[in-house]
């Protein structure tokens, strides 16, 4: 199963989205399709390779297209004309590449290709195998494309406004100022004024408004009308009716000899203005992705055989040595080979203070180096880097379709044809009841214009884009868009303990020696015994010994006794470390005296180990896994929000109970195996589970919403719906707040979008005219339609302030 993202052209409303999804779903091998109007992209799940040509052909028949972009590569291995021909042939053989032009003198390869995920990396592999390794020189910038789209719509709107202004003034100025009407008609014959209006309106329709005709009329001919069809029908009806009045007035009754050139021109102008404002607002909804991508520098300094060389970040590979100068951003993930510095990792953890990093430490691409110079061996670069995976997660969530969107899809699938039928019935009803052709035309055009379903199509995707983007800025990654809706409805949040509510790294908090023994000497002996062990408690003892600068000599022989302890030989002495029962079984003396030193340690959630040298107990070691700093605040905040908090841990029941009590959790389950955790949430409706380990993966996948800590295992993260980039449990509260705010925003958008159409279609049809004399002109209908989309997007943009940063919760 593979997931492919395609850029689409020609989407304008929710009806377009549904039609494009149906077309792509019918392609061979396609198992799932989600089209987003907000991002104008399709996410396609396939069982094999997608036939891009078949997709382009099928979409083209429906009036849509696959978006094309330009990319420049450099391949220095080209040395002659035959190299150029071969490179161009290889490039054109890659599905989706429509044109390729290579120049061996500059080493440049200029490509025009369909915007599809993975195409460039596949082409680079193809060229490298042929002996022409190519590096990225320039990639089409989505932000520049968005800016160009906004500029185009702005130019169209302003041009249409300039052409429309004389039409509007000469026709409507007299209604507002009767004196102006008499003066103008005394100066110029009305027929010539109408001719001028006809010429300028034709210029508006065929110039800036041509996009509605070129897309709407073919869609109508295919019996698949969209919002462009409604605009085209409405404006052309007004224009051609007015043209009949101008050229052959005798065909109409004298009372019906009224022109509506200004209506057609103003409708196009207002809708273009709305599209421009919508594009400006929509450009702001995708800011999260752009901000994340901007964290990775375009170029990086690499250690080469002949000295440092500059390379495009997309061409970095695992094993390259990255030279990071003070103040620079890291271009990839890696391990520090040499150097020491402080790194600003706030983009990952939200922690504003720089963190000290030295040789051996792992570092992440996108973080900012402080004042020291670093040599870093790259471990993950490009699409494998943590930053790229975060961008991919956010993009996938933004392209997702929430269950609530199903209602919109069902309605918009039949909405446009129904609107056209209502418009036709409206015209007939007015003709039958009033006999006034002009009035009937006005009512029919108003219905067509006011009912464009743009707002309905944008209501959900723009909120998802802004909501998931805001969450990403706060360190919460929704891997699946539908998790937004499910998380807003959870009533229970169940936490794992170790690594989730606690640090997951036990520390030796105290070593109590028997009478006459030296604590440092005993700690050095314990560390020597545990030096070869991978157990987390062994590592805690080793860290404590190294922190005190003690000499550690690995044991000559060490035996691990599962679940009991270890037996080792150090400098000819037999050492035993383990729990109380193990030392009693071994016949060690002095156990009772040491256990009496800290009688309440177990009840407080601490782990106790006894150490014996030869056959005498010499020390009590107390190990604890401290709670994360924000754990108690997270529990309290969730409870204040009306959520029930549980803890389900594999740790000993006494330890789990003690940690739960200290954090304010009343319902605690300890000693739980993976299957026990599954059983604990089974049947619990609206349950989110928060965990980090491999053993948490089954329950993360089974819960209504699985939330994984960013420090967790890859298996846990893959099974989860939501990933917390840092390790602060308070980010769970942030996730819940953002999801609730997003769903509230979506419901507001859908209400206003549906209510707008439901309320205004009858008004446009003239139902209120007999009762209160209220009706809607086509011009007002166009203004209302344009503003509805702008309202929906503006409302969604409020989500950029949703949710609190984790650090502010409980502060």
């Amino acid at each position: 199963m593979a997931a492919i993202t395609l850029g689409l052209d020609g989407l304008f409303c929710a009806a377009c989205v549904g039609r494009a999804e149906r077309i792509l779903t019918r392609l061979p091998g396609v198992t799932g399709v989600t089209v987003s109007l907000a991002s104008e992209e399709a996410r396609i799940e396939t069982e094999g390779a997608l036939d891009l040509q078949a997709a382009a052909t099928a979409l083209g028949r429906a009036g849509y297209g696959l978006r094309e972009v330009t990319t420049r590569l450099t391949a220095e291995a080209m040395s002659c004309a035959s190299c150029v021909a071969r490179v161009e042939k290889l490039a054109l053989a890659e599905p989706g590449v429509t044109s390729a032009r290579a120049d061996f003198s500059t080493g440049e390869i200029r490509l025009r290709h369909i915007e599809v995920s993975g195409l460039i990396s596949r082409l680079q592999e193809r060229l490298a195998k042929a002996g022409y390794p190519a590096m990225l020189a320039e990639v089409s910038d989505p932000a520049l494309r968005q800016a160009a789209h906004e500029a185009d719509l702005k130019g169209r709107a302003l041009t249409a406004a300039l052409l429309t202004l004389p039409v509007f003034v000469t026709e409507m100025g007299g209604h507002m100022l009767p004196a102006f009407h008499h003066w103008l008609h005394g100066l110029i014959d009305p027929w010539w004024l109408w001719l001028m209006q006809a010429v300028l309106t034709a210029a508006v329709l065929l110039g800036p408004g041509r996009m509605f005709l070129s897309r709407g009329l073919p869609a109508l001919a295919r019996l698949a009308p969209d919002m462009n069809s409604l605009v085209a029908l409405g404006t052309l009806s007004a224009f051609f009716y007015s043209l009949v009045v101008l050229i052959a007035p005798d065909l109409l009754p004298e009372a019906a000899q009224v022109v509506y050139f200004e209506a057609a021109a103003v409708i196009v102008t207002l809708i273009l203005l709305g599209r421009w404002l919508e594009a400006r607002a929509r450009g702001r909804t995708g800011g999260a992705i752009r901000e994340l991508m901007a964290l990775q520098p375009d170029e990086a300094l690499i250690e080469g055989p002949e000295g440092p060389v500059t390379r495009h970040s997309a061409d970095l590979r695992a094993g390259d040595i990255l030279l990071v100068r003070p103040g620079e951003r890291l271009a990839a993930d890696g391990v520090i080979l040499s150097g020491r510095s402080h790194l600003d990792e706030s983009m990952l953890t939200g922690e504003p203070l720089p963190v000290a990093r030295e040789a051996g430490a792992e570092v992440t691409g996108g973080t900012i180096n402080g004042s020291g110079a670093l040599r870093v061996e790259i471990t993950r670069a490009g699409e494998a880097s943590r930053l790229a995976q975060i961008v991919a997660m956010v993009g996938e969530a933004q392209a997702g379709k929430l269950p609530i969107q199903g209602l919109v899809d069902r309605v918009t699938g039949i909405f446009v044809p129904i609107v056209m039928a209502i418009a036709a019935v409206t015209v007939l009803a007015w003709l039958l009841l009033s006999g006034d052709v002009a009035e009937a035309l006005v009512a029919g055009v108003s219905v067509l214009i006011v009912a464009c379903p743009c707002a309905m199509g944008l209501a959900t995707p723009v909120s998802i884009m802004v909501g998931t983007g805001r969450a990403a800025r706060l360190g919460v990654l929704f891997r699946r868009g539908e998790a937004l809706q499910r998380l807003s409805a959870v009533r229970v949040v169940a936490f794992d303990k170790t690594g989730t509510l606690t640090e997951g790294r036990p520390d030796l908090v105290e070593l109590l020696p028997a009478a006459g023994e030296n604590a440092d000497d005993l700690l050095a002996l314990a560390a020597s015994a545990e030096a070869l062990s991978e157990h987390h408690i062994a590592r805690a003892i080793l860290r404590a010994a190294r922190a005190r600068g003690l000499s550690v000599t690995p044991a000559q022989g060490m035996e691990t006794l599962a679940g009991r302890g270890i037996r080792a030989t150090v400098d000819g002495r037999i050492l035993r470390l383990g729990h109380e029962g193990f030392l009693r079984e071994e016949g060690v003396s002095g156990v009772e005296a040491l256990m009496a030193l800290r009688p309440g340690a177990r009840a407080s959630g601490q782990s106790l180990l006894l150490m014996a040298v030869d056959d005498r107990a010499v020390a009590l070691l107390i190990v604890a896994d401290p709670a994360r700093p924000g754990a108690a605040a997270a529990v309290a905040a969730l409870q204040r929000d009306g959520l029930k908090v549980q803890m389900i841990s594999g740790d000993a029941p006494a330890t789990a109970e003690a940690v739960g009590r200290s954090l304010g959790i009343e319902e605690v389950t300890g000693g739980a195996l993976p299957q026990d955790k599954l059983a604990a949430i089974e049947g619990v409706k609206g349950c989110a589970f928060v965990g980090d380990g491999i053993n948490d993966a089954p329950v993360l996948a089974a819960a209504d919403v699985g939330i994984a800590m960013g420090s967790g295992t890859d298996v846990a993260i893959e099974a989860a719906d939501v990933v917390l980039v840092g390790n602060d449990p308070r980010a769970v509260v942030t996730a819940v707040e953002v999801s609730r705010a997003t769903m509230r925003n979506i419901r507001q958008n859908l209400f206003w979008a549906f209510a707008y159409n439901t309320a205004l279609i009858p008004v446009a049809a003239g139902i209120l005219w007999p009762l209160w004399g209220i009706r809607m002109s086509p011009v007002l209908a166009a203004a209302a339609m344009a503003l509805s989309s702008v309202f929906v997007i503006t409302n969604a943009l409020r989500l950029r302030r949703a949710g609190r940063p984790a650090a502010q919760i409980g502060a």
Side-chain angles (χ1 to χ4, degrees), residues 321-476:
I321 305 301
L322 189 63
L323 303 178
V324 188
R325 292 167 291 200
E328 289 186 336
R329 283 192 185 273
L330 275 71
D333 303 348
V335 176
I336 298 176
L337 296 179
S338 61
R340 175 182 291 184
S341 185
H342 284 76
L343 269 65
D344 179 355
E345 299 180 348
S346 57
M347 53 82 69
L348 286 176
T349 64
E351 174 57 54
L353 297 176
V355 182
R357 293 287 183 256
E358 57 186 16
E362 292 187 0
V363 290
T364 305
T367 54
I368 304 173
N369 184 27
S371 57
L374 301 174
R375 287 179 70 249
V376 178
E377 181 179 358
I378 295 176
T379 55
R380 293 186 302 269
E383 294 180 0
S385 70
R386 192 174 186 189
L387 179 60
Q389 289 171 352
I390 289 173
V391 171
M393 283 185 192
V394 176
E396 184 174 341
Q398 291 185 343
K401 182 168 288 190
L402 273 58
I404 198 172
Q405 182 72 17
L407 172 63
V408 181
D409 293 344
R410 288 193 295 273
V411 172
T412 55
I414 57 173
F415 188 79
V416 174
I418 288 176
V419 167
M420 295 176 68
I422 292 173
V425 169
T426 299
V427 171
L428 289 174
W430 274 89
L431 286 173
L432 291 173
L433 295 174
S434 69
D436 191 324
V437 178
E439 295 290 346
L441 173 69
V442 168
V445 170
S446 297
V447 170
L448 289 172
I449 299 302
V450 83
C452 290
C454 306
M456 281 191 284
L458 290 168
T460 300
V462 292
S463 294
I464 294 174
M465 286 187 71
V466 182
T468 53
R470 169 61 174 171
R473 291 188 185 98
L474 296 176
V476 177

Side-chain angles (χ1 to χ4, degrees), residues 504-742:
R505 193 191 76 168
D507 288 326
L508 179 66
V509 295
E510 197 168 7
L511 187 149
L512 300 172
E517 299 288 346
N518 181 277
D520 281 353
D521 292 343
L522 293 178
L523 180 57
L525 280 173
S528 297
E530 298 278 19
L532 301 178
S533 174
E534 290 297 318
H535 194 275
H536 57 275
I537 290 180
R539 290 197 291 270
I541 293 171
L542 280 167
R543 281 196 305 274
R546 286 170 180 153
R548 296 191 192 183
L550 303 178
S551 175
V552 176
T553 304
Q556 288 84 20
M558 193 266 283
E559 180 185 5
T560 300
L561 304 166
R564 298 163 69 202
I566 67 165
R567 190 184 294 118
T569 301
V570 179
D571 295 333
R573 290 179 288 179
I574 299 175
L575 269 66
R576 296 176 179 86
L577 277 90
H579 59 67
E580 178 185 359
F582 167 56
L583 265 66
R584 289 186 188 278
E585 289 173 9
E586 295 284 300
V588 172
S589 63
V591 172
E592 291 83 356
L594 284 174
M595 291 299 296
L597 294 176
R598 284 288 184 271
R602 273 208 185 94
S604 63
Q606 296 174 327
S607 299
L608 305 184
L609 283 86
L610 287 166
M611 175 182 171
V613 176
D614 295 325
D615 293 320
R616 187 173 68 88
V618 294
L620 175 67
L621 290 82
I622 302 176
V623 177
D625 182 8
R628 290 191 183 277
V635 171
L638 290 170
Q639 290 170 338
R640 281 195 300 271
D641 287 342
L643 295 170
K644 181 180 179 182
V645 180
Q646 300 176 354
M647 188 170 76
I648 308 172
S649 173
D651 211 336
T655 303
E657 286 282 355
V659 173
R661 278 196 309 274
S662 69
L663 298 176
I665 302 174
E666 295 180 1
E667 190 170 331
V668 177
T669 302
L673 298 173
Q675 58 268 32
D676 299 324
K677 292 183 178 182
L678 275 174
I681 69 160
E682 231 170 43
V684 180
K685 191 174 181 182
C687 179
F689 184 84
V690 189
D692 75 319
I694 292 175
N695 62 331
D696 294 326
V699 69
L700 285 169
D704 290 311
V705 181
I707 304 175
M709 305 296 283
S711 61
T713 63
D714 291 343
V715 175
I717 290 173
E718 189 60 33
D721 304 295
V722 183
V723 178
L724 309 181
V725 177
N727 301 312
D728 194 334
R730 290 176 293 181
V732 176
V733 183
T734 303
V736 172
E737 289 179 346
V738 172
S739 70
R740 287 180 172 179
T742 303

Side-chain angles (χ1 to χ4, degrees), residues 728-806:
D728 194 334
R730 290 176 293 181
V732 176
V733 183
T734 303
V736 172
E737 289 179 346
V738 172
S739 70
R740 287 180 172 179
T742 303
M743 290 309 302
R744 187 164 56 247
N745 192 272
I746 288 173
R747 284 190 286 269
Q748 291 167 353
N749 282 349
L750 288 176
F751 170 79
W752 286 111
F754 279 112
Y756 158 82
N757 280 294
T758 304
L760 293 188
I761 288 177
V763 175
I767 287 178
L768 300 182
W769 175 254
L771 298 174
W772 297 298
I774 298 174
R775 62 175 305 175
M776 180 179 288
S777 73
V779 171
L780 289 177
M785 189 275 283
L787 289 175
S788 68
S789 295
V790 176
F791 170 82
V792 163
I793 295 177
T794 304
N795 187 48
L797 287 172
R798 294 191 306 116
L799 288 171
R800 293 187 301 174
R801 297 186 296 274
R804 292 173 291 171

